[in-house]
């Protein structure tokens, strides 16, 4: 058993856990449509940041189309007790949620936004990053260790998927770089009538470069862990729930407020 765990896959019903994961992901690919409801939040120092909580629902259709929309905090069915402490805190931190909508489609191997709506406040639409089908697809290719959790409910099994430290860092770095590029000042829009960059545009770009350097420095100092739990329906071999916890800490700091934990969960139902 020790050798199996060290090799990255525990035995599960006679199959390596990694192989079981691949079978579940293949079963998901074979479903024409499925509905889902989920939640996401950020915890700092173990305490939920109320404004970060987001509750959403949606549907996957034709294997490559996903629609997502935000849900009100008191949505029926969104009060299920969570197994992990972070999820329990997430459930207790519900606050008013702005309205969002996003429709995505996978084309040429990339997920593209087909339409989206955000609050009039101008805040960015966060739903594209919560696409559960993309999250499941990524699990197939990430460097990871897959084992079975004990004590899962009757008729189901739970796979624990932990990314290697290097993979967890690469994953977060790619996400942060994408977000930074999205807010980078555009040189073409930062010119005055004489075609020269304005002082405001130059200051904006200087600030962006400064924040980018600070971000890279923080990332270099951080210790990152990324763990998924995939609950699977034994009978149909299909996902029932996916939870994900990413923790970012700084070993050189003794301040608990420096520990950031991002938690998501999504429940799947109505397969056909």
């Amino acid at each position: 058993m020790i050798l199996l765990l060290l090799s990255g896959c525990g035995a599960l019903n006679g199959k390596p856990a990694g192989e079981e994961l691949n079978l579940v992901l293949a079963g998901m690919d074979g479903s024409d449509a499925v509905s889902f409801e989920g939640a996401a939040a950020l915890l700092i120092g173990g305490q939920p940041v109320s404004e970060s909580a987001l509750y959403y629902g949606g549907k996957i259709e034709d294997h490559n189309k996903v629609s997502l929309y935000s849900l009100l905090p008191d949505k029926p069915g969104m009060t299920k007790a969570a197994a992990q402490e972070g999820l329990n805190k997430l459930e207790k931190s519900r606050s008013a949620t702005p309205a969002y909508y996003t429709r995505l489609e996978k084309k040429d191997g990339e997920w593209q936004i087909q339409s989206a709506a955000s609050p009039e406040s101008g805040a960015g639409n966060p739903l594209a990053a919560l696409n559960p089908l993309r999250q499941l697809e990524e699990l197939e290719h990430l460097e990871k260790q897959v084992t079975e959790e004990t004590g899962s409910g009757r008729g189901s099994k739970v796979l624990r998927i932990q990314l290697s430290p290097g993979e967890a860092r690469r994953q977060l770095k790619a996400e942060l770089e994408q977000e930074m590029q999205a807010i980078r000042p555009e040189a073409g829009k930062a010119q005055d009538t004489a075609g020269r960059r304005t002082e405001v545009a130059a200051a904006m770009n200087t600030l962006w470069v400064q924040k980018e350097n600070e971000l890279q420095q923080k990332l270099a100092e951080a210790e990152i862990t990324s763990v998924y739990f995939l609950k699977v329906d034994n009978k149909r071999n299909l996902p029932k729930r996916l939870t994900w916890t990413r923790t970012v800490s700084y070993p050189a700091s003794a301040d608990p407020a420096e520990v950031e934990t991002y938690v998501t969960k999504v429940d799947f139902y109505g397969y056909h």
Side-chain angles (χ1 to χ4, degrees), residues 164-185:
S164 68
E167 190 68 85
R169 182 178 300 277
R170 286 190 292 271
Q171 184 191 55
L172 177 57
K173 182 177 181 179
E175 292 176 12
L176 294 176
E177 288 180 346
Q178 184 177 17
E179 292 176 6
M180 286 298 293
Q181 289 301 320
I183 63 173
R184 185 169 192 171

Side-chain angles (χ1 to χ4, degrees), residues 72-184:
L72 295 176
D74 58 354
K75 172 75 176 178
M78 292 292 289
T79 58
K80 301 174 182 177
Q84 299 177 41
E85 181 181 357
L87 288 172
N88 285 330
K89 291 179 178 179
L90 183 156
E91 292 287 341
K92 296 176 182 177
S93 68
R94 297 183 173 184
S95 58
T97 305
Y100 296 100
Y101 172 78
T102 296
R103 187 165 58 87
L104 307 164
E105 185 171 356
K106 191 174 184 180
K107 295 182 177 180
D108 299 322
E110 298 291 334
W111 285 100
Q112 301 176 16
I113 297 177
Q114 302 301 304
S115 63
S118 299
E120 294 181 358
S121 62
N125 190 323
L127 290 177
L130 295 169
N131 176 359
L133 186 53
R134 179 183 63 80
Q135 292 177 347
L136 287 169
E137 290 173 343
E138 286 183 345
L139 287 180
E140 186 174 0
H141 307 290
L142 297 174
E143 185 179 288
K144 58 193 177 294
Q145 180 187 59
V146 185
T147 54
E148 181 192 11
E149 285 290 284
T150 59
S152 57
R154 186 174 182 181
S156 65
K157 56 177 171 274
V158 176
L159 301 179
R160 183 181 188 275
I161 304 136
Q162 179 164 357
L163 303 190
S164 68
E167 190 68 85
R169 182 178 300 277
R170 286 190 292 271
Q171 184 191 55
L172 177 57
K173 182 177 181 179
E175 292 176 12
L176 294 176
E177 288 180 346
Q178 184 177 17
E179 292 176 6
M180 286 298 293
Q181 289 301 320
I183 63 173
R184 185 169 192 171

